[in-house]
Amino acid sequence: MSYTYSYMRSFVLMLTLAASLTAEYRLWVCGRVQKYWVAGLPLSAGGLFVESGAADFEHRGFHHPYVMALDYDRRDPATLYLAAGNGLIRAANAGRQWRILTDHQVTELRDLSVDPNAPGTIYFAYVNGLQVTRDGGTTFAEVHPLPRRRYTESVRVDRTRAGRLVCGGESGLYWSEDGGRNWRLAGAAGFQILYIEQSPHDADHWLAVTQRGGLFVSTDGGRTFENSGNVGVGRNLYDIAFDPGQVGRIALCGYRVGVVVSEDNGQTWQERNHGLPSPNVSSVTFDPDRPGRLLASVHQEGLYVSEDAGRSWRRYGLDGSVVYRLRFVPEAAR
């Protein structure tokens, strides 16, 4: 029995390695390989990691305890941008050369989004609101869409039109079509927004997950959002993943939720946690090169992978880590 298991595991790893040699995308990880960390004490390894082989990850750049999210320059995918505890960081040369673009007054970034249709334009969400640079990080301007509390947790730019974006914080979802100069409430009023994502298949289809409020859905390009049933209600949902290779397949994850997957574009949901050590999952992402291949980060446990859209899981690396975000980036970022 153990021989059969060992053989099958080796076979799966061989297939994974073979697929990685022809992959068009590469997995990047924001997190730290250390369960607990206190400011002032040494950090074993943290910040930015890239998959260098099957279940093998290489640390890039500097040790950093809080890199919360990343995006990349569509003209040069080897230029990454990081939302970090001490500011917006440009990680050039595939993460090897770091430069903090913001000053000491800007800290605790939560999310960022590069406008794919406006070169040099980057929005980032942080504890004091939203900022934008339109010149690649030389200058920044404050954007204040939230009327009561400025704290902004997530921001996403429409991939089809420059300047159209959705953001969310402690008072709901807000929509702008002019680069953040004017805003209006789009939905989820009174709920803390934790993450926003746009479908790669339908530009009008957007999802937003919340703290205890469940899932909100837009079918009109982010202008309006409505609550979608009971999935995640009473829990915190942290991430959203559309499968680029399969229309209608979506994964969500959260605290005491684990991973839930829909195969019918969000009409119904199934828990898919068999093989995960805990139902506390902070990030999920589908592999753009292999439909149905799903990665998940389990809090203080590391990464897990499923080859069948979450129906079964196995350990995949970065054991004992705290991961904030998983992201596939085009292979040019080597």
Side-chain angles (χ1 to χ4, degrees):
M1 181 72 176
S2 107
Y3 173 80
T4 302
Y5 173 79
S6 177
Y7 174 80
M8 290 302 297
R9 185 174 185 276
S10 298
F11 181 68
V12 169
L13 288 174
M14 287 173 61
L15 289 178
T16 302
L17 180 59
S20 70
L21 294 175
T22 59
E24 296 183 9
Y25 289 82
R26 187 170 291 266
L27 178 64
W28 292 78
V29 180
C30 302
R32 65 175 189 267
V33 187
Q34 190 168 327
K35 291 184 178 181
Y36 306 102
W37 179 78
V38 178
L41 296 181
L43 180 68
S44 59
L48 185 63
F49 300 84
V50 61
E51 187 174 15
S52 56
D56 187 22
F57 292 85
E58 175 187 343
H59 182 259
R60 289 285 172 90
F62 297 93
H63 290 300
H64 198 298
Y66 294 111
V67 174
M68 305 301 296
L70 72 90
D71 203 350
Y72 64 94
D73 189 330
R74 301 312 189 270
R75 301 165 298 174
D76 175 19
T79 298
L80 308 174
Y81 292 94
L82 314 178
N86 59 337
L88 178 66
I89 296 172
R90 180 191 292 124
N93 191 18
R96 297 178 179 89
Q97 299 169 330
W98 287 28
R99 180 184 176 189
I100 301 176
L101 301 177
T102 47
D103 62 25
H104 68 281
Q105 300 180 74
V106 176
T107 61
E108 299 180 69
L109 274 63
R110 307 298 300 171
D111 195 16
L112 81 164
S113 188
V114 175
D115 193 329
N117 297 299
T121 300
I122 308 162
Y123 299 86
F124 69 80
Y126 75 124
V127 294
N128 198 38
L130 188 70
Q131 285 204 22
V132 60
T133 175
R134 304 184 195 278
D135 52 20
T138 301
T139 61
F140 290 86
E142 290 278 358
V143 182
H144 295 300
L146 308 185
R148 289 176 293 168
R149 298 178 65 87
R150 290 184 176 180
Y151 179 97
T152 307
E153 180 71 23
S154 186
V155 60
R156 195 66 62 240
V157 182
D158 190 324
R159 60 183 170 80
T160 66
R161 179 175 171 179
R164 179 182 287 170
L165 60 152
V166 179
C167 77
E170 294 178 300
S171 57
L173 291 155
Y174 288 79
W175 179 82
S176 173
E177 61 177 347
D178 57 7
R181 296 174 180 86
N182 295 282
W183 295 86
R184 69 178 182 81
L185 182 66
F191 285 104
Q192 167 73 60
I193 307 304
L194 297 182
Y195 200 66
I196 304 163
E197 194 57 270
Q198 182 183 26
S199 169
H201 306 291
D202 178 0
D204 286 334
H205 187 198
W206 291 67
L207 298 179
V209 288
T210 67
Q211 178 177 301
R212 302 181 65 84
L215 175 69
F216 284 78
V217 181
S218 173
T219 57
D220 58 7
R223 294 174 179 83
T224 60
F225 284 79
E226 296 183 358
N227 188 262
S228 177
N230 293 320
V231 60
V233 173
R235 304 284 190 235
N236 290 351
L237 294 175
Y238 292 124
D239 204 359
I240 304 159
F242 290 88
D243 189 341
Q246 179 62 53
V247 176
R249 181 181 288 149
I250 310 167
L252 310 176
C253 71
Y255 182 76
R256 295 176 64 187
V257 173
V259 178
V260 293
V261 176
S262 174
E263 301 283 355
D264 54 13
N265 217 31
Q267 297 302 306
T268 60
W269 298 89
Q270 295 179 339
E271 288 189 5
R272 294 186 178 176
N273 295 321
H274 181 69
L276 295 180
S278 163
N280 301 329
V281 178
S282 57
S283 188
V284 286
T285 189
F286 281 101
D287 187 338
D289 292 314
R290 298 167 63 183
R293 187 169 189 261
L294 180 62
L295 284 296
S297 60
V298 182
H299 183 62
Q300 296 186 346
E301 295 285 349
L303 298 186
Y304 282 73
V305 66
S306 171
E307 306 293 345
D308 52 12
R311 294 177 178 86
S312 60
W313 295 90
R314 59 183 173 84
R315 191 178 293 275
Y316 197 65
L318 294 178
D319 294 354
S321 62
V322 176
V323 171
Y324 301 111
R325 192 66 62 198
L326 301 171
R327 182 70 185 268
F328 277 94
V329 174
E331 180 59 11
R334 296 185 73 99

